[in-house]
Amino acid sequence: MRRKMNNTQEREVRRQQHRSDVAAGIFSHARRLRWSAAKLEIERQRALRSLLAFAVGHSPFHADRLVGTDPAEFTEVQLSTLPVMTKKDMMAGFDGVVTDRRLTTDVIERHLTSVDEGGDDYLFERYRVITSSGSSGLRGWYAYDWDEWTTLGLMASRSRLTMVDGSPRPPGSATVNLLGSGATTLSSAMSSFLAAADEPFIHLPMSTAIPELVDALNAAQPMVVQAYPSALDLMVREAKSDRLHIAPRYVESGGELLTERTRADIREVWGTEIDDCWGLSEGIYAFSCPAGTGMHLPDDLIIVEPVDVDGNPVQSGVPAAKVYITNLYNHTQPLIRFEVNDALTVVEGPCACGSAHRRIEGLTGRNDVVFGYGSGIRIYPMVLGLAIEKERGLIEYQAQQTPRGVIIRAVVEPDLGTRQLLDRAEGVLRVAGLIDPEVTVELVDHIDRLPSGKLCQFIATGEG
């Protein structure tokens, strides 16, 4: 007589089957990295028509927005004629965006609460749902059915086949994840999902006190560390202070701006390079290329349109203020020309590794925060951040707009005073046109993080 499985056992069976589906497709999926530009274009065309047809037929939200569109004859060139979709649009009309009428806002909210409390990862035994608050603080969630989550897992696994230096990742490698603050964030959900049975996975939310983080890291002795750049900066400080004693071979970052200063510090402390990742809950992973520069986009599965601040397309190699993303494989929650306010540069042309997938460079983070002052002066605070982050004694910071300048709250090394930060900040504000800017630097012990675990580096308070 066969015993009936309990809920925990059933959940684990689903997880193992899902991991098996990813493992079965890894190598055939990885061959997509060798597809020619022409083949990639053909695949995007096919997938785009399929996506539009399904969205029109199953999503009231998109059926209304795509009136007059003929999916069967639609081309990628015509994509710019479609309306832009924002996160606010998506969440306000969520019940009409999704293509399964069971996936209502109330159902999703109850499910996410259950997952964070240790419940079943799978909704209706089919869907995985992840959350994102991002730097804007506007909460969003993204649903993937079984096959779509498998595809996202395969996309993420492309970088996991090798280390950033091209060597195999050692079997049994322990991974510590300091990205996100809960089980439903993309980084935590995907990393734990992909971890093999013999690869211990430990998630440490950034809300954890620093001494506890250090103790946990020292106990785990991870071979792999995944963390926000600001978390890596804290780890460097603890290592240099002889409190943190780990030697990871693989360091992966994402979610925040990665500076050359952080790269240099990790190289100095652990003797390894950082594999930077552009990962979005909207269904994208782009990873550093070991042979070339920048990060390769998954051009077979998504369409990325780089645009300026007004939404006009920019050419290859020209910095973009934001991007519009079309996820070609997620039919559960179609994202068509979805606006992401990440400033980056898309680069086309041959890569040293031989891949025809485009690359992104110059990723400087979200630009949806603007400091506005009198006389029409507008400053993207990331420019300010890039300037003050050149000070090697700066560990983390938060810049808040004031009527005549900024307040900078900073955690610094003992030998870094306030004068250097003041001079750099004042210089940026003057170049932007602010006469006699007022800059205050407050040295603090720590800076509170967002619920997502990210560091809220810039706070705009409106035009002065």
Side-chain angles (χ1 to χ4, degrees):
M1 182 176 178
R2 183 177 297 176
R3 286 185 180 178
K4 185 178 180 180
M5 291 186 294
N6 60 35
N7 290 338
T8 300
Q9 291 171 325
E10 290 178 351
R11 178 178 61 190
E12 188 57 31
V13 167
R14 277 194 294 273
R15 282 180 176 174
Q16 292 302 329
Q17 180 57 57
H18 216 165
R19 287 171 177 148
S20 295
D21 288 355
V22 173
I26 281 182
F27 292 106
S28 62
H29 193 82
R31 284 198 290 269
R32 289 169 170 248
L33 295 174
R34 298 302 177 197
W35 281 5
S36 67
K39 187 170 183 177
L40 287 169
E41 184 177 351
I42 291 171
E43 172 60 17
R44 288 196 302 273
Q45 182 69 65
R46 181 205 62 78
L48 178 59
R49 289 177 175 175
S50 174
L51 171 69
L52 293 177
F54 197 85
V56 169
H58 297 82
S59 165
F61 175 90
H62 286 296
D64 180 61
R65 292 163 68 90
L66 300 176
V67 168
T69 301
D70 181 3
E73 299 296 329
F74 201 84
T75 65
E76 187 175 341
V77 174
Q78 295 175 281
L79 198 57
S80 61
T81 66
L82 301 183
V84 173
M85 180 182 182
T86 67
K87 191 176 184 180
K88 185 176 181 180
D89 294 336
M90 180 186 74
M91 294 308 297
F94 182 83
D95 291 6
V97 172
V98 291
T99 57
D100 185 333
R101 302 273 68 80
R102 296 177 298 171
L103 299 176
T104 65
T105 297
D106 290 342
V107 168
I108 294 288
E109 286 183 329
R110 288 196 299 270
H111 171 69
L112 291 172
T113 298
S114 171
V115 174
D116 277 333
E117 292 175 353
D120 195 347
D121 296 330
Y122 292 84
L123 177 59
F124 303 132
E125 301 183 1
R126 174 182 179 184
Y127 295 104
R128 296 291 299 257
V129 184
I130 54 176
T131 57
S132 171
S133 63
S135 301
S136 67
L138 176 62
R139 191 184 188 210
W141 49 66
Y142 305 86
Y144 297 82
D145 75 6
W146 187 283
D147 291 338
E148 293 157 359
W149 186 257
T150 300
T151 298
L152 184 56
L154 287 167
M155 188 194 304
S157 71
R158 291 174 177 178
S159 77
R160 297 167 188 268
L161 296 175
T162 60
M163 310 284 277
V164 74
D165 61 2
S167 62
R169 180 180 289 193
S173 302
T175 296
V176 168
N177 178 286
L178 291 91
L179 292 161
S181 60
T184 59
T185 59
L186 172 62
S187 59
S188 180
M190 185 55 69
S191 294
S192 61
F193 172 68
L194 291 177
D198 63 342
E199 294 180 354
F201 176 82
I202 303 168
H203 177 249
L204 300 174
M206 283 306 298
S207 57
T208 308
I210 293 176
E212 294 179 27
L213 280 177
V214 171
D215 288 345
L217 287 163
N218 284 336
Q221 288 298 303
M223 185 69 70
V224 183
V225 169
Q226 302 166 333
Y228 294 127
S230 60
L232 292 175
D233 291 338
L234 289 172
M235 294 166 72
V236 165
R237 180 183 67 174
E238 295 301 305
K240 289 184 175 180
S241 299
D242 202 30
R243 291 186 288 268
L244 180 63
H245 305 101
I246 62 175
R249 284 186 53 193
Y250 185 92
V251 179
E252 181 179 303
S253 70
E256 296 174 347
L257 173 66
L258 175 64
T259 66
E260 287 303 318
R261 182 196 65 181
T262 302
R263 285 187 183 277
D265 284 342
I266 293 299
R267 197 179 296 124
E268 175 188 349
V269 172
W270 292 328
T272 188
E273 297 295 331
I274 296 176
D275 184 4
D276 197 17
C277 161
W278 187 50
L280 302 181
S281 302
E282 290 83 358
I284 297 178
Y285 275 100
F287 288 96
S288 299
C289 175
T293 60
M295 294 177 273
H296 278 293
L297 289 169
D299 279 334
D300 53 326
L301 295 168
I302 54 96
I303 296 175
V304 172
E305 302 173 70
V307 297
D308 63 20
V309 68
D310 297 316
N312 301 310
V314 301
Q315 299 301 311
S316 172
V318 177
K322 55 187 176 181
V323 294
Y324 299 147
I325 290 169
T326 299
N327 183 322
L328 297 172
Y329 66 91
N330 188 344
H331 288 197
T332 298
Q333 187 175 336
L335 302 179
I336 301 169
R337 304 202 80 210
F338 191 85
E339 182 179 75
V340 174
N341 288 291
D342 277 9
L344 50 79
T345 302
V346 176
V347 179
E348 299 177 1
C351 177
C353 73
S355 175
H357 290 249
R358 294 177 301 168
R359 305 181 304 283
I360 57 173
E361 298 178 346
L363 183 62
T364 56
R366 295 291 169 105
N367 66 6
D368 48 355
V369 177
V370 178
F371 289 178
Y373 299 95
S375 304
I377 298 173
R378 291 165 59 83
I379 300 172
Y380 287 109
M382 186 57 69
V383 177
L384 174 66
L386 290 171
I388 66 177
E389 284 173 354
K390 293 179 181 178
E391 293 296 336
R392 291 187 62 83
L394 178 65
I395 297 170
E396 59 184 24
Y397 68 92
Q398 182 181 78
Q400 180 172 344
Q401 178 190 356
T402 64
R404 293 285 311 145
V406 295
I407 295 174
I408 299 173
R409 302 177 184 91
V411 180
V412 303
E413 297 286 2
D415 58 345
L416 179 65
T418 61
R419 186 71 260 167
Q420 300 98 307
L421 299 178
L422 280 168
D423 289 344
R424 289 187 182 275
E426 287 177 355
V428 170
L429 296 177
R430 285 197 180 94
V431 169
L434 198 60
I435 300 174
D436 296 327
E438 298 175 355
V439 178
T440 302
V441 176
E442 298 177 356
L443 300 183
V444 297
D445 293 329
H446 76 283
I447 297 173
D448 292 334
R449 291 175 177 266
L450 295 168
S452 64
K454 292 183 180 180
L455 189 64
C456 181
Q457 291 183 308
F458 307 111
I459 302 173
T461 56
E463 186 169 328

